[in-house]
Amino acid sequence: MRNSFTMALRFYNTLTQQLEEFSPARDNTVRMYTCGPTVYDFAHIGNFRTFTFVDLLRKCLRANQFRLDHVMNITDVDDKIIRNAVAQHKSIEEYTSVYTEAFLADCDALRLERPERLAPATAHIDDMVEAIEKLSAGNHTYSSDGSTYFRIGTFPEYGKLSHNDFSGNMAGARVDVDEYEKADARDFALWKAPKEGEPAWQTPLGPGRPGWHIECSVMAIKYLGETLDLHAGGVDLIFPHHENEIAQSESLTGKPFARFWLHAEFLMVEGQKMSKSLGNYYTLRDLFAKGYTPEAIRYLLASVPYRKQLNFTFDGLKSAAVAIERLRNFKLRLETDRYPEGDDDQLAIREAAASQKFSESLNDDLNTAEALAAVFEYVREANSAMDAGAFRAGNVAPALEFLRQFDSIFDVLAPTVQTNQILDSEIESLIEARTAAKKAKNFARADQIREQLLEAGIILEDTKTGVRWKRK
Ligand SMILES: [Zn+2]
């Protein structure tokens, strides 16, 4: 197998604000942590932009002959989850399991590799409690009304990732401190006391649940050690989430938390911020229901370099499908047409250069746009050579090898075999959510769920004895 990933791999490091050469610190294994989904709803395409970037990152790291030890958390407890679970009279686990399952099914559909380890927050409560106790012993915390907060004033480097200068605020320019239960407006909860009627873990910290930030610090350190090679997520996580992760982790260990920080930019839809109120909010299921293939979605999400905003448009999705079709046709032509014996040297040189350009572009901070340009330029030339009778039998194997190299990263050439996209358990769970919404007189939400199911091909019938459903 060819390996043209010979150029140094470089990433833009949010921490240093520079392009830096990347290699793991120890034994050729990249210890990486990426922030996973909060499983209170189906993930949307903005989330999947980040997860697709992480998948490309994994594949490029492997193409550079590194081994991977990658942990991703599943946030299966937070305020929204608890609110929704209580409203639906479900346990936290009952409520989240549907969405965890749906998330993993979506990842499979988009061909996103599973990290070496998926870490659900609720399976690590004891570890978090222990870490919070250690932070308290180091005087980094204080308690208020049964909750425990991290005192940012004890971590002078706060702001070094987001490059925000908080020094002025720290020095006492606090406003109306009495109005907050926190001593400083930026202090954040490590442990939250339950509100009336909420489920809680009984721990030495008192009853409650962990804050979001602590779970990432604890699970990252537990599985990957005190200093990670790489930590990634969406740009919206830089502040405060990743800044808080650094404050907690470095206060716990006294070591740098991560050597490289990579952040994927936002996704826009048709030039606008995606939001439910604008009606441009899409889950993968919404797009599958409209007939778009997982490969086209994956291609579109992968085609824009991760540090650029991605404008997700339906025209873009159609173009993605056309681009994939072109590559599939080219592959078919290579596999089925007969070519005269020998080699066309010019084409062989072009193919080698394109392959080199492909890997160099990816190693240049994952420049997927340039990598794709190299592929399509070569395919255009090869197709012309085929039309002109210049393409030779000896050019076939290297061309197929180049396509294999392309697909080992982009993974769009094999068509998805269509199955029923929405599981019975998800349908039932949405119907329950709709019934609950109706009871709460939230008819807009109830209608929205009916619409969502309709788009997935599910028809609801309200009967005297309850709701019946069928597939279209
Ligand atoms: Zn995180």
Side-chain angles (χ1 to χ4, degrees):
M1 197 197 296
R2 175 193 327 187
N3 174 37
S4 53
F5 284 79
T6 48
M7 282 274 295
L9 174 61
R10 297 192 309 166
F11 293 133
Y12 181 84
N13 188 348
T14 308
L15 187 65
T16 59
Q17 297 184 298
Q18 279 177 15
L19 271 175
E20 290 179 54
E21 198 170 309
F22 176 85
S23 63
R26 290 184 282 139
D27 49 62
N28 211 44
T29 301
V30 180
R31 291 169 178 81
M32 63 188 264
Y33 187 92
T34 56
C35 296
T38 301
V39 283
Y40 72 97
D41 199 349
F42 298 112
H44 58 66
I45 51 172
N47 304 133
F48 281 109
R49 197 241 167 140
T50 305
F51 296 128
T52 302
F53 146 66
V54 169
D55 185 63
L56 296 172
L57 176 62
R58 283 180 56 92
K59 290 178 162 102
C60 286
L61 287 166
R62 262 214 315 275
N64 280 277
Q65 311 299 314
F66 298 132
R67 285 195 300 265
L68 297 176
D69 191 358
H70 172 195
V71 177
M72 182 172 82
N73 61 311
I74 304 270
T75 301
D76 55 356
V77 54
D78 85 337
D79 294 352
K80 273 181 286 206
I81 287 171
I82 288 179
R83 199 176 57 217
N84 293 358
V86 168
Q88 295 182 25
H89 306 289
K90 287 183 175 172
S91 70
I92 290 175
E93 200 194 339
E94 276 174 308
Y95 179 79
T96 57
S97 61
V98 174
Y99 296 111
T100 303
E101 208 180 299
F103 172 72
L104 295 175
D106 284 352
C107 288
D108 289 347
L110 274 191
R111 304 176 187 183
L112 308 182
E113 291 176 6
R114 295 278 165 93
E116 278 61 37
R117 210 186 304 263
L118 281 173
T122 54
H124 298 80
I125 302 287
D126 291 345
D127 300 301
M128 295 182 221
V129 169
E130 212 174 286
I132 295 168
E133 286 177 325
K134 201 174 161 197
L135 285 171
S136 298
N139 290 322
H140 291 289
T141 72
Y142 59 92
S143 298
S144 171
D145 291 336
S147 296
T148 307
Y149 295 91
F150 186 90
R151 193 187 292 281
I152 286 177
T154 66
F155 187 71
E157 290 175 75
Y158 195 79
K160 67 180 174 182
L161 181 69
S162 54
H163 303 277
N164 288 328
D165 181 10
F166 293 108
S167 54
N169 294 17
M170 297 287 201
R174 301 173 191 159
V175 198
D176 295 336
V177 169
D178 293 349
E179 287 181 16
Y180 298 96
E181 50 197 0
K182 301 182 281 185
D184 183 301
R186 283 178 324 279
D187 287 348
F188 56 90
L190 297 163
W191 189 256
K192 295 185 175 187
K195 295 198 186 77
E196 178 82 27
E198 286 183 344
W201 278 264
Q202 303 300 327
T203 75
L205 299 169
R209 57 179 181 272
W212 170 38
H213 313 299
I214 192 69
E215 73 177 75
C216 287
S217 288
V218 166
M219 297 193 288
I221 293 170
K222 173 171 179 144
Y223 295 116
L224 301 171
E226 295 182 332
T227 300
L228 320 176
D229 289 306
L230 197 159
H231 193 315
V235 282
D236 51 325
L237 298 188
I238 296 175
F239 181 81
H241 180 55
H242 288 164
E243 204 72 78
N244 292 351
E245 282 189 33
I246 290 174
Q248 298 164 144
S249 304
E250 301 192 359
S251 296
L252 278 169
T253 68
K255 308 253 171 63
F257 180 42
R259 297 168 53 232
F260 281 75
W261 287 86
L262 276 60
H263 291 100
E265 260 294 344
F266 282 116
L267 172 144
M268 311 283 278
V269 175
E270 307 282 353
Q272 287 182 298
K273 196 169 186 292
M274 183 168 67
S275 79
K276 285 188 175 165
S277 59
L278 284 175
N280 65 358
Y281 180 99
Y282 299 108
T283 65
L284 279 192
R285 284 128 211 274
D286 297 334
L287 299 177
F288 296 160
K290 289 177 188 291
Y292 295 101
T293 64
E295 307 94 273
I297 299 166
R298 179 179 166 89
Y299 184 99
L300 179 54
L301 294 178
S303 63
V304 176
Y306 75 97
R307 287 206 297 129
K308 287 216 168 86
Q309 261 190 14
L310 190 156
N311 187 19
F312 192 97
T313 66
F314 286 95
D315 281 347
L317 263 184
K318 286 172 197 136
S319 305
V322 170
I324 295 168
E325 210 40 47
R326 255 184 91 195
L327 296 175
R328 286 177 182 164
N329 286 337
F330 179 60
K331 183 160 180 262
L332 191 68
R333 210 173 171 188
L334 286 168
E335 287 168 339
T336 53
D337 281 8
R338 295 176 137 258
Y339 303 96
E341 289 303 306
D343 269 297
D344 182 289
D345 290 345
Q346 229 13 63
L347 261 178
I349 291 166
R350 284 293 309 124
E351 185 277 324
S355 165
Q356 187 64 30
K357 178 75 186 156
F358 178 80
S359 52
E360 278 177 18
S361 302
L362 290 172
N363 270 10
D364 182 15
D365 199 25
L366 297 182
N367 191 334
T368 49
E370 268 190 15
L372 287 174
V375 171
F376 280 98
E377 204 179 308
Y378 167 71
V379 169
R380 186 173 49 76
E381 287 176 28
N383 268 323
S384 309
M386 286 170 175
D387 296 341
F391 202 91
R392 300 297 193 91
N395 296 116
V396 171
L400 283 172
E401 177 58 21
F402 184 29
L403 282 182
R404 191 210 55 75
Q405 182 192 24
F406 156 79
D407 214 36
S408 71
I409 307 286
F410 284 87
D411 199 0
V412 292
L413 291 182
T416 298
V417 182
Q418 291 293 341
T419 53
N420 272 333
Q421 300 98 340
I422 181 160
L423 302 173
D424 288 10
S425 60
E426 292 165 27
I427 297 168
E428 310 273 358
S429 149
L430 281 167
I431 289 173
E432 277 179 48
R434 176 171 169 267
T435 307
K438 277 171 109 180
K439 254 193 203 145
K441 305 224 183 298
N442 184 351
F443 297 110
R445 174 66 185 146
D447 287 346
Q448 191 190 23
I449 294 172
R450 175 190 275 276
E451 273 296 297
Q452 183 183 350
L453 283 165
L454 192 63
E455 286 203 354
I458 307 301
I459 298 165
L460 300 187
E461 279 173 65
D462 290 306
T463 72
K464 277 181 195 148
T465 51
V467 184
R468 261 205 309 258
W469 63 267
K470 61 178 184 205
R471 292 179 194 276
K472 244 193 276 189

